[in-house]
């Protein structure tokens, strides 16, 4: 922002201008007269059309503070600035070149009026007001008010602060202003500055270019130093905004460099830099501020920093000294695009100290500055101290001067482009054909009555290419197509320095910012000769996520391992992302892997053992069935109701085989069939035992007097019918269960998060309970009847075997229920299979073991007498 003095000065000028205009309108109806003139350092050349310019030919100015009791004295400029003078000479050269170009503005001669702003806002504002209103003491008025204004367009000012002030006023009158060095992004506001253009990219692009370099080298932690003016503050605001928007980095500190050499403040700033963990320092300031800072940096010997320079000082020769290069060597900077201007050096060599030409302002000062002499009359004491007098005949070719070094033209190239932008706009405007114009009534602008706002229309649409090959056009904000050079400060072994171009940053509507770097050319001022690391916290390794430290920027964080089932989120590093349902995190937590699947498999030892046992039981049943069929006519077989025995053996075989349905990957059909087959097979088996028990009891009752009628209810047909009826009840239960709530395959993850246990969901606990309950009822009835008949007189009382077998059966299934409920996952299937096999083997051994023993090993007991209990054959 402007200082209070500068602001007051601007207001006084504005009030003065308006007041003088009002008085002139009332007191002088046929003419107007300026109350006074500004004494300005001027270069002027006449022409059909005049362009204005503002350049810092001096470093600073001095003048008394206004007392408001007398007429203010004009300020005095001091400190000749040869590079500022070269900027003015570049504009003069460009206009001279355009006047010699027959293809650009033919038959039109351009002139110029250039003022020295002395690097002071007040003087610059005086200059621009003089350019806009003219310096004639009296202007005669007529009825038509025809004629061209004093200037149609202005090249300047150099600083952002001055450009803000000037554009705020001249924008009201739509006077085009093309700056060559004002970079503040605030000047892109078209509502506030409608007539402002610039041939240098705005700080918004410069900031994005710096962020591009930070990102390229993975520098996410930096410090920021800014100057205490519009340039520095807007750059800081823009940098903070862009960093937060992109998420590419953070600032550890933001410090404002003092205007003067405030030792205490500079010491405090350097202490902040020393304590910081950021190894990259970004500086948006002018070289004079940095010189003061570097004195304190050298005093405290602060090394190991990577400096990043804004365009304001990226090529500042005053900082490239042997005293400072141990600290500033390796600096990376954003520099204004350099260009070549053929013929400029020859033009500069023609400068002569002619004191009587109005276009030669500064020539004598340049001559004295370059040759270290004074023109006569010399200041008092000059000759006495050994000073030389200038003759005007000195040869510029024989003296080294930065003024003549055109190897790296940067601001000058921007001045050159600004002049040509105005010239091309004028050319396009004057080539308008009547009836095809862009103004009211399709009219064109006339050379004798041009208006600045007319030029503004064409300037917004200008598009041309410089001899160096750069395209020049302005966007809707008045900004030029952005391009920056990337500079590197090389510290040579002999102690000399060189600022070399190591890349460029281009702006593109489609691709954004494009960074091109030749890293092999970059000099790094570190022992490793490699880019430094500048991060607050190292990137979290795979399998962890970032947790921001409280009260610190987001670049400072701790790395916390992801919990099980989660991996590092590639889009949001502050969160871990959960794996999909059927996946689980690997031990490193860096990617998801399919969960292990478990079920009672034929390939694992438990599954193999159970399957082998099932087949063994089936095989034994087949062997026993063969034995019974072979010895079907023997007394023991006939006495044990051979038909029921065969049915019982077949049902036991089905019981053994149904256990195989519980082994293998669960599928819909196996889940539906396993419990149905199990329920029906066991009901068939228990029904056979129940009927057999009832037949045994009926036979003994029939052997008593009057008990013959009991056998008629237990004939072969009744036995088959009873078994079929009892089995059909179970079939109905199973069908109802399958229809209403069928068992389905289920992925169970409640026992192990990293495993998928494939099992069959029973669907309806009620259905499963009814199925087991029905089997239990039949088994209990069989056990009860057999228990009641256990003491019947017979040497081979089968009721005892049935009682023992049913005792085993009931014991197994009573133990099964709690074991099944408490067994996780595939172990529940193993428990059920074990219960099926155990109960099946219990029935097989208890019911058929003794009979097979007699048939095979004790055939002498397989006689009717023994069976009837009337003796034993020898």
């Amino acid at each position: 922002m402007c200082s209070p003095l500068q602001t007051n000065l601007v207001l006084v000028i504005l009030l003065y201008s308006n007041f003088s205009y009002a008085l002139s309108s009332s007191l002088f109806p046929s003419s107007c007269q300026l109350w006074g003139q500004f004494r300005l350092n001027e270069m002027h050349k006449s022409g059909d059309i005049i362009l204005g310019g503002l350049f810092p030919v001096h470093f600073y100015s001095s003048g008394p503070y206004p007392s408001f009791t007398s007429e203010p004295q004009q300020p005095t400029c001091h400190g000749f600035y040869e590079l500022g003078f070269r900027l003015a000479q570049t504009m003069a050269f460009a206009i001279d070149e355009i006047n010699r170009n027959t293809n650009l503005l033919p038959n039109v001669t351009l002139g110029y009026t250039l003022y020295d702003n002395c690097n002071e806002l007040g003087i610059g504002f005086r200059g621009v007001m003089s350019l806009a209103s003219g310096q004639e003491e009296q202007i005669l008025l007529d009825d038509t008010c025809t004629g061209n204004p004093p200037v149609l367009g202005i090249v300047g000012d150099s600083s952002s602060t001055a450009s803000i002030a000037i554009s705020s006023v001249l924008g009201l009158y739509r006077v085009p202003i093309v700056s060559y060095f004002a970079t503040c992004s605030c000047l892109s506001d078209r509502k506030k500055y409608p007539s402002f253009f610039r041939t240098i990219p705005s700080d918004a692009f410069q900031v994005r270019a710096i962020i591009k370099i930070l990102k390229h080298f993975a520098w996410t932690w930096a410090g920021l130093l800014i100057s205490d003016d519009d340039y520095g503050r807007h750059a800081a605001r823009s940098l903070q905004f862009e960093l937060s928007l992109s998420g590419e980095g953070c600032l550890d500190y933001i410090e404002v460099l003092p205007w003067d050499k405030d030792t205490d403040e500079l010491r405090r700033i350097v202490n902040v830099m020393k304590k910081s963990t950021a190894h990259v320092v970004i500086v948006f300031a002018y070289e004079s501020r940095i010189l003061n800072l570097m004195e304190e940096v050298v005093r405290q010997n602060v090394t190991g920093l990577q400096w990043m320079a804004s365009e304001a000082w990226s090529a500042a020769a005053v900082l490239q000294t042997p005293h400072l290069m141990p600290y500033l060597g390796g600096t990376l900077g954003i520099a204004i695009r350099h260009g070549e201007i053929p013929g400029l050096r020859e033009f500069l060599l023609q400068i002569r100290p002619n004191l009587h030409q109005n276009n030669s302002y500064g020539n004598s000062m340049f001559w004295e500055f370059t040759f270290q002499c004074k023109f006569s009359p010399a200041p008092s004491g000059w000759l006495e101290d050994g000073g030389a007098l200038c003759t005007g005949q000195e040869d510029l070719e024989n003296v080294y001067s930065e003024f003549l070094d055109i190897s790296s033209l940067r601001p000058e190239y921007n001045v050159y482009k600004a002049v040509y932008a105005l010239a091309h706009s004028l050319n396009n405007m004057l080539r308008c054909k009547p009836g095809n114009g862009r103004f009211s009534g399709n009219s064109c602008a006339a050379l004798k009555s041009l208006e600045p706002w007319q030029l503004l229309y064409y300037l917004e649409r200008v598009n041309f290419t410089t001899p160096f090959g750069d395209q020049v056009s302005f966007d809707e904000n008045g900004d030029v197509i952005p391009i920056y050079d990337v500079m590197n400060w090389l510290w040579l072994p002999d102690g000399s320095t060189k600022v070399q171009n190591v890349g460029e940053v281009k702006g593109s509507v489609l691709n954004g910012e494009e960074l091109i770097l030749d890293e092999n050319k970059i000099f790094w001022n570190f022992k490793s000769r490699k880019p430094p690391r500048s991060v607050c916290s190292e990137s979290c390794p795979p399998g962890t996520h970032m947790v921001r430290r409280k009260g610190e920027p987001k670049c400072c964080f701790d790395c916390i391992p992801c919990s099980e089932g989660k991996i590092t989120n590639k889009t949001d590093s502050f969160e871990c992302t959960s794996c999909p349902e059927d996946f689980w995190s690997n031990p490193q937590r860096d990617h998801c892997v399919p969960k292990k699947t478990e079920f009672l498999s034929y390939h694992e030892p438990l599954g193999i053992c159970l399957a082998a046992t099932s087949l063994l039981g089936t095989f034994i049943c087949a062997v026993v069935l063969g034995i019974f069929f072979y010895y079907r006519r023997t007394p023991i077989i006939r006495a044990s109701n051979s038909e029921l025995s065969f049915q019982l053996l077949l049902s036991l075989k089905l019981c053994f085989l149904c256990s195989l349905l519980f082994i293998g990957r669960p599928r819909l059909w196996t889940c539906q069939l396993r419990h149905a087959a199990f329920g029906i097979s066991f009901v068939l088996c228990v029904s056979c035992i129940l009927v057999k028990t009832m037949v045994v009891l009926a036979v003994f009752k029939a052997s008593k007097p009057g008990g013959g009628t009991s056998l008629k209810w237990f004939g072969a047909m009744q036995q088959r019918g009873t078994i079929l009826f009892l089995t059909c009840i179970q079939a109905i239960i199973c069908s109802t269960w399958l229809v209403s709530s069928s068992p389905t395959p289920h992925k169970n993850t409640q026992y192990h998060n990293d495993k998928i246990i494939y099992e069959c969901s029973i669907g309806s606990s009620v259905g499963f309970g009814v199925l087991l309950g029905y089997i239990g009822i039949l088994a209990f009835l069989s056990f009860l009847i057999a228990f009641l008949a256990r003491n019947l007189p017979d040497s081979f009382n089968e009721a005892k075997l049935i009682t023992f077998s049913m005792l085993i059966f009931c014991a197994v299934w009573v133990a099964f229920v709690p074991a099944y409920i408490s067994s996780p996952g595939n172990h529940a299937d193993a428990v059920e299979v074990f219960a099926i096999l155990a109960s099946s083997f219990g029935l097989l051994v208890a019911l058929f073991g003794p009979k097979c023993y007699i048939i095979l090993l004790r055939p002498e007991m397989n006689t009717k007498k023994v069976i009837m209990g009337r003796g034993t054959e020898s």
Side-chain angles (χ1 to χ4, degrees), residues 28 46 125 205 273 369 419 421 424 662 665 800 816:
F28 305 99
S46 300
F125 207 97
F205 178 76
M273 295 167 59
F369 178 84
V419 174
H424 277 279
F662 290 84
R665 189 186 187 96
K800 293 179 180 179
F816 160 76

Side-chain angles (χ1 to χ4, degrees), residues 164-179:
I164 290 171
I166 292 169
S167 299
S168 298
V169 176
L170 294 192
L172 300 174
Y173 306 100
R174 300 300 189 267
V175 178
I177 304 169
V178 186
S179 176

Side-chain angles (χ1 to χ4, degrees), residues 385-406:
D385 293 337
L389 286 175
C390 299
T391 64
Q393 302 302 315
E394 290 85 356
D395 189 358
L396 286 174
E397 290 276 14
N398 295 331
V399 64
Y400 171 78
S401 172
E402 190 179 359
F403 180 83
L404 296 173
D405 182 7
I406 62 170

Side-chain angles (χ1 to χ4, degrees), residues 51 153-155 176 178 418-427 455 459:
L51 298 181
I154 299 173
V155 176
V178 186
V419 174
Y420 265 87
L422 290 169
H424 277 279
S425 301
L426 283 168
N427 185 65
L455 179 61
L459 188 59

Side-chain angles (χ1 to χ4, degrees), residues 728-849:
C728 286
I729 293 175
Q730 183 72 306
I732 293 172
I733 293 173
C734 291
S735 299
T736 304
W737 179 20
L738 294 177
V739 170
S740 62
S741 184
S742 174
T744 56
H746 173 63
K747 297 177 181 179
N748 191 337
T749 57
Q750 67 180 16
Y751 300 114
H752 302 283
N753 291 327
D754 58 341
K755 296 179 182 178
I756 298 176
I757 298 176
Y758 283 98
E759 61 184 12
C760 286
S761 173
I762 59 177
S764 173
S765 300
V766 175
F768 188 51
V770 172
L771 181 145
L772 290 178
Y774 183 63
I775 296 174
I777 291 172
L778 295 181
F780 179 74
L781 289 175
S782 299
F783 173 74
L784 184 60
I785 295 172
F787 182 76
L788 295 175
R790 71 189 186 283
N791 294 323
L792 294 177
D794 195 339
S795 62
F796 190 80
N797 187 352
E798 200 170 14
K800 293 179 180 179
L801 301 179
I802 293 173
T803 302
F804 183 66
S805 66
M806 295 315 297
L807 185 63
I808 296 174
F809 182 88
C810 291
V812 169
W813 286 104
V814 168
F816 160 76
V817 174
Y820 182 82
I821 293 174
S822 61
S823 298
N826 59 341
H827 296 295
D829 291 335
V831 169
E832 191 165 359
V833 172
F834 180 80
I836 292 172
L837 295 178
S839 58
S840 299
F841 271 111
L843 294 177
L844 178 62
V845 173
L847 293 176
F848 296 98

Side-chain angles (χ1 to χ4, degrees), residues 6 104 117 277 418 492 498 549 623 712 747 764 802 830:
Q6 293 170 334
L104 187 62
N117 63 18
T277 56
L492 300 173
K498 176 183 178 183
R549 296 172 187 167
V623 171
K712 68 179 180 178
K747 297 177 181 179
S764 173
I802 293 173

